[in-house]
Structure formats: structure tokens, C-alpha cells
């Protein structure tokens, strides 16, 4: 079969490899769609730990082609989404219910072969059923949505709350929608790209800010800003140092900051501990998707999340290495790799 392989840091290409075989507790899935994530680019550039050589792709959905003899509840022909994050269940973190912090965490598409391929094998525990009539392209959004759900859970958004989302990529735009569903009265998205600001307003943002045209701190939290004094919750979804710095200055006293965006390892951001202390800010990291993948799949299946407007383009496996190796095009939100596309 065909697979997009990370051979080493800086080297990605389409290869012919053996089709995988399902073990006793595994399912073999024919990939229908797999999303390109910023993490894939971090992996290529050595900015996120991985285990090359490995097939990339961790946001996937497809049709079950074969099941192991010990598998139950999933049958050939079912449509499934894959939770890529496999925890051990034995370490102290897993026993405490913090499975995303598992000492032995292994991820499909990062440490073991993933979904930028014709087929993928995964443990039954990682496969979640989707409706047969669901668009396959929608199923590929379950994994990023599951990560956003964890962030929103940590943020504790309450009805009537004020929220700022920093970053207008797919994570930011999904988070805007979740904040709306959580009942936030004010949802402000900050991003440089005009097309993403317009899309955010279509999806539920009550206001948007262009940080290249105005000082976002003054425009949002300043005396004449949209929410003078700051907001209840800030979700940093861009993964760049500027927005991490801004996040703590946008939260009101007693507010919550959640860091969702992935920055390269080793990047440091200055902040003022006295300010965090004196204003009693809660600053949290949000890492992947502990026990949220089923909820994400149900949300996608309910059609409560707008997905079609987030899909910028679809490409075949042949184009995937180039997409991964290059920065996202201006205004691009999500590129999907569809193996059946010629």
C-alpha cells in the first residue's frame, strides 16, 4: 500500500509499504480522510518528539476492513474515527485518571504508523463508531475537536462568560464554536488573517481583532476596549510566543488562561510572575484529549459543529508530502488527505 513516511527529521515522502495486518485485538481500517495538523510539520522539523521512520497522520476516519478474533462491538464495514493516543493503564498517571500524562504514551501517526496511508491498524480501544451516513471528511475532525473539548473543559466556561481565542486556525475556530455552545456571551477571536476573522464571526464570534492593525491588549482589555479590564477566559490556540505573552495580559483578575497551541520544544516566553500572583491568574496547559474522543465523535455526528467551512482543500496521498513540508497557505484552515482521491 501507499504511505506518507517520515524517514527522519527533514525527510518525508510517499512510499510503497506492506499492508498492515490486524492482530487479535486490532482493527484494520481503510482510510477515507486524514487531516494535516501543525504537529505534522513540527514532527518533520524535529520540533516535536517522534519515532521515525513512521507513517504520519493522526486525525483520521475510515471503514473497517478486518477485525482481530478478540474484537467485539465493531464489525467489517463500520465507519470509525481513531483516537491516536494510546495510554498504558499501569503508570501512576493512568491510575490517577490522567491518561494524557501517561508515562508510556504512544501515539498513532507519531510513534507508530498513522493515517496518511491507504490503511492503518489500531487497537480496538482506539476506534470509535460513527454513523454510516456521516461525511468521511467530517469524521477526520474528531481528533482536533477532542483536543479542543479538553481545553474548554479545563477553562470552565460558564453561561454568560467572556472569552478570548487567540489564533484563527482550525483549533481556534473549533474552540470558538465550543465556547458558543458552552453559553459564552462574549467571544472574541484575534488573528491577522481577514478571511479567518470573517469565518470566526460566521461561526459564533461576537467580535474579532486584527493584531497586526491594533494592539490587541488595548483593543480587547484596555479602558476603551471590548471588555475593559479583561475577560474571564483566554484560550491560546496559535502556538506562538506573542500570543502566549498576550494571553496573560488579556485575562481579568481571577481569570483563566489555557495554553492549547503547540510551540516548538525549547521556545521560552517571558512573563511577570508578580502579575500572575497579584491578579491570581490560573494558567493551565491543555494536552491532547483524555476521555474526550467519544464526546467529540458524538458532537460531530450531531452536526452541532460546522465543519465544511473549515475544509480548505482536499488532496491525494501524492500531494501530502508537499503539503506537510510547506507552511499553510494564507487563509488556509484545514487540508484533508483523501487516499482515494486521484
Amino acid at each position: 500500500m501507499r504511505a506518507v513516511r517520515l524517514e527522519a527529521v527533514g525527510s518525508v515522502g510517499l512510499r510503497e509499504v506492506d499492508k498492515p495486518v490486524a492482530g487479535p485485538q486490532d482493527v484494520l481500517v481503510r482510510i477515507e480522510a486524514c487531516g494535516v495538523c501543525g504537529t505534522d510539520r513540527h514532527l518533520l522539523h524535529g520540533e516535536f518528539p517522534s519515532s521515525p521512520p513512521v507513517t504520519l497522520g493522526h486525525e483520521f476516519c475510515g471503514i473497517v476492513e478486518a477485525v482481530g478474533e478478540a474484537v467485539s462491538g465493531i464489525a467489517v464495514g463500520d465507519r470509525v474515527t481513531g483516537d491516536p493516543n494510546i495510554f498504558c493503564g499501569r503508570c501512576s498517571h493512568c491510575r490517577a485518571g490522567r491518561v494524557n500524562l501517561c508515562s508510556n504514551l504512544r501515539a498513532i501517526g507519531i510513534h507508530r504508523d498513522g493515517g496518511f496511508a491507504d490503511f492503518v491498524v489500531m487497537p480496538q480501544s482506539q476506534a470509535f463508531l460513527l454513523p454510516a451516513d456521516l461525511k468521511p471528511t467530517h469524521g477526520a475532525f474528531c481528533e482536533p475537536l477532542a483536543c479542543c473539548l479538553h481545553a474548554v473543559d479545563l477553562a470552565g466556561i460558564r453561561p454568560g462568560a467572556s472569552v478570548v481565542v487567540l489564533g484563527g486556525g482550525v483549533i481556534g475556530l473549533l474552540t470558538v464554536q465550543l465556547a458558543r455552545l458552552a453559553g459564552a456571551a462574549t467571544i472574541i477571536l484575534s488573528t491577522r488573517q481577514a478571511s479567518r476573522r470573517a469565518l470566526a464571526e460566521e461561526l459564533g464570534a461576537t467580535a474579532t481583532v486584527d493584531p497586526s492593525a491594533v494592539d490587541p491588549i488595548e483593543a480587547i482589555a484596555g479602558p476603551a476596549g471590548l471588555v475593559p479590564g479583561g475577560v474571564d477566559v483566554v484560550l491560546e490556540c496559535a502556538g506562538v510566543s506573542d500570543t502566549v505573552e498576550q494571553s496573560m495580559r488579556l485575562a481579568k483578575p481571577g481569570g483563566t488562561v489555557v495554553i492549547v497551541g503547540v510551540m516548538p520544544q525549547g521556545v521560552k516566553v517571558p512573563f511577570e510572575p508578580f502579575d500572575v500572583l497579584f491578579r491570581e491568574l490560573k494558567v493551565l496547559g491543555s494536552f491532547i484529549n483524555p476521555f474526550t474522543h467519544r464526546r467529540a465523535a458524538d458532537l460531530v455526528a450531531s452536526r452541532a459543529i460546522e465543519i465544511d467551512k473549515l475544509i480548505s482543500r482536499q488532496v491525494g496521498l501524492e500531494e501530502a508530502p508537499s503539503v506537510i513540508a510547506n507552511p499553510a497557505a494564507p487563509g488556509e484552515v484545514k487540508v484533508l488527505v483523501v487516499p482515494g482521491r486521484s
Side-chain angles (χ1 to χ4, degrees), residues 14-321:
L14 185 64
R15 304 284 185 266
E16 288 286 332
V17 300
D18 291 337
K19 181 179 175 180
V21 176
Q25 298 181 337
D26 295 336
V27 295
L28 173 68
V29 176
R30 174 173 53 81
I31 297 295
E32 294 181 296
C34 185
V36 177
C37 174
T39 299
D40 296 312
R41 295 183 173 103
H42 287 309
L43 292 168
L44 175 61
H45 298 301
E47 299 167 342
F48 194 96
S50 65
S51 301
V54 67
T55 300
L56 295 175
H58 57 273
E59 303 177 357
F60 57 87
C61 144
I63 299 295
V64 175
E65 176 111 338
V67 300
E69 64 241 29
V71 171
S72 61
I74 296 177
V76 171
D78 284 342
R79 174 166 288 123
V80 295
T81 165
D83 176 356
N85 300 302
I86 305 171
F87 57 88
C88 73
R90 302 182 304 275
C91 70
S92 61
H93 300 300
C94 285
R95 289 176 181 270
R98 306 292 298 278
V99 296
N100 57 321
L101 305 180
C102 174
S103 300
N104 306 298
L105 188 71
R106 307 291 286 175
I108 298 168
I110 296 176
H111 306 106
R112 55 181 284 171
D113 290 341
F116 290 147
D118 290 311
F119 297 91
V120 69
V121 157
M122 61 179 163
Q124 177 186 358
S125 60
Q126 306 308 118
F128 293 82
L129 290 169
L130 291 170
D133 62 349
L134 185 75
K135 290 183 181 179
T137 51
H138 289 194
F141 279 77
C142 293
E143 192 278 341
L145 183 62
C147 294
C148 296
L149 275 170
H150 180 48
V152 169
D153 287 348
L154 290 173
I157 298 171
R158 301 172 66 183
S162 54
V163 175
V164 164
V165 177
L166 298 173
V170 69
I171 297 299
L173 293 169
L174 287 171
T175 299
V176 163
Q177 296 187 67
L178 291 177
R180 172 179 52 81
L181 291 175
T186 301
I187 306 169
I188 303 164
L189 181 128
S190 175
T191 185
R192 290 181 172 86
Q193 297 191 35
S195 61
R196 292 181 175 184
R197 293 196 303 274
L199 180 53
E201 293 183 7
E202 287 183 44
L203 298 175
T206 57
T208 56
V209 169
D210 178 0
S212 66
V214 298
D215 177 356
I217 309 302
E218 285 300 314
I220 296 171
L226 295 166
V227 187
V231 298
D232 297 306
V233 172
V234 182
L235 294 120
E236 193 289 318
C237 299
V240 295
S241 55
D242 285 350
T243 48
V244 173
E245 287 187 61
Q246 292 165 14
S247 64
M248 297 184 210
R249 298 175 61 195
L250 288 167
K252 74 178 187 182
T256 298
V257 173
V258 183
I259 306 299
V260 190
V262 178
M263 296 178 67
Q265 290 184 99
V267 174
K268 295 177 174 58
V269 176
F271 75 101
E272 190 174 343
F274 180 82
D275 182 58
V276 174
L277 169 70
F278 190 75
R279 297 199 298 128
E280 200 170 354
L281 299 181
K282 182 187 291 186
V283 182
L284 303 168
S286 178
F287 182 56
I288 59 175
N289 59 341
F291 305 121
T292 55
H293 203 92
R294 178 70 267 168
R295 288 165 56 200
D298 289 343
L299 258 180
V300 168
S302 76
R303 279 73 170 180
I305 299 292
E306 172 58 52
I307 290 176
D308 284 328
K309 292 179 180 178
L310 303 180
I311 301 171
S312 301
R313 57 190 171 115
Q314 301 178 38
V315 301
L317 282 169
E318 294 79 6
E319 297 174 74

